[in-house]
Amino acid sequence: GAGVSQSPSNKVTEKGKDVELRCDPISGHTALYWYRQSLGQGLEFLIYFQGNSAPDKSGLPSDRFSAERTGGSVSTLTIQRTQQEDSAVYLCASSLGQVGGQGGYTFGSGTRLTVV
Amino acid sequence: EDKVVQSPLSLVVHEGDTVTLNCSYEVTNFRSLLWYKQEKKAPTFLFMLTSSGIEKKSGRLSSILDKKELFSILNITATQTGDSAVYLCAVPSGAGSYQLTFGKGTKLSVIP
C-alpha cells in the first residue's frame, strides 16, 4: 500500500483480556518494527523483523507480548492478559533496509490501546 | 546504555517566532541522528544527520549536528500554527543500525 496501515486505530479492553494489533507495511519494505509510546515517554523499541531472518525480540517487555509476521508482510502484535500499564500507543514502522542508511522509517498512525 | 535527551520538553511561542530545539545523545557507536515530527500519532521523518557542521535545510526547518559535543539542534524560523507538534530526536543503537533510541520529545505549541 501507499503507507503503513495499522488497525484498529483505537482499542479499549478490559484488564486480563488478550488483544491483537495489526500492521500492514509498505509494499516491498523488508524491515518491520514495533514501538510503544507511553504517555510522556519517548518511543520504546519492541521488536524488529527483517525478511526471513529471526526477529529481534529484545525489546518485548514481558512474555505476555508476542509478535509474528506472516509471509514477510503483515504483522500482528499480541498482548495476552493485558494490564493497565500496557496502555499506550503502539506504532508500527517499515523500511527498505537498515534505518541508518535509509534515512528513517515510515511510521503508521498507531493503535491507541487503553486497558480499563 | 544509549541515551537521547531533548530540551526543552515543551515550548509555547507566537507565530513568526524562531525556535531552537535541542538534542544531546550518548551512543556507543554513532552512525547518524534523526529528527521526526509527530502530529497526533504518526511520526514523520524530517532529517538525518551524519556529519558535523553540515546544515540540513527544508523550507523553514534546518538542523545541524556537533559530533564533538554530542548534540544536534533543530531550528524553525517564522513559525506557523501548523508547526505545532512533538519533535522527536533519535539515534540508531544496538548491534545493527535498525533500532532507534528516541528522546522524550519537545512539544511545540505555536499560538496565533
Side-chain angles (χ1 to χ4, degrees), chain A residues 18 59 83 86 111:
Chain A
D18 297 352
Q83 304 294 313
D86 299 334
T111 295

Coordinates of all heavy atoms in Angstrom, one line a residue, chain A residues 18 59 83 86 111:
Chain A
D18 N -7.0 -10.6 26.1 CA -5.9 -10.6 25.1 C -6.3 -9.6 24.0 O -7.5 -9.4 23.7 CB -5.8 -11.9 24.5 CG -5.3 -13.0 25.5 OD1 -5.0 -12.6 26.7 OD2 -5.3 -14.2 25.1
G59 N 13.3 -6.1 22.8 CA 12.6 -5.0 23.4 C 11.2 -5.4 24.0 O 10.6 -4.6 24.7
Q83 N -2.6 -5.6 31.1 CA -2.5 -4.9 32.3 C -2.7 -3.4 32.0 O -2.4 -3.0 30.9 CB -1.2 -5.2 33.0 CG -0.9 -6.6 33.2 CD -1.8 -7.2 34.2 OE1 -2.0 -6.7 35.3 NE2 -2.4 -8.4 33.9
D86 N 0.0 -1.5 30.2 CA 0.1 -1.8 28.8 C -0.5 -0.6 27.9 O -0.4 -0.6 26.7 CB -0.5 -3.1 28.3 CG 0.1 -4.3 29.0 OD1 1.3 -4.2 29.4 OD2 -0.6 -5.3 29.2
T111 N -1.9 2.4 17.0 CA -3.1 1.9 17.7 C -3.0 2.4 19.1 O -2.0 2.1 19.8 CB -3.2 0.4 17.7 OG1 -3.4 -0.1 16.4 CG2 -4.3 -0.1 18.6

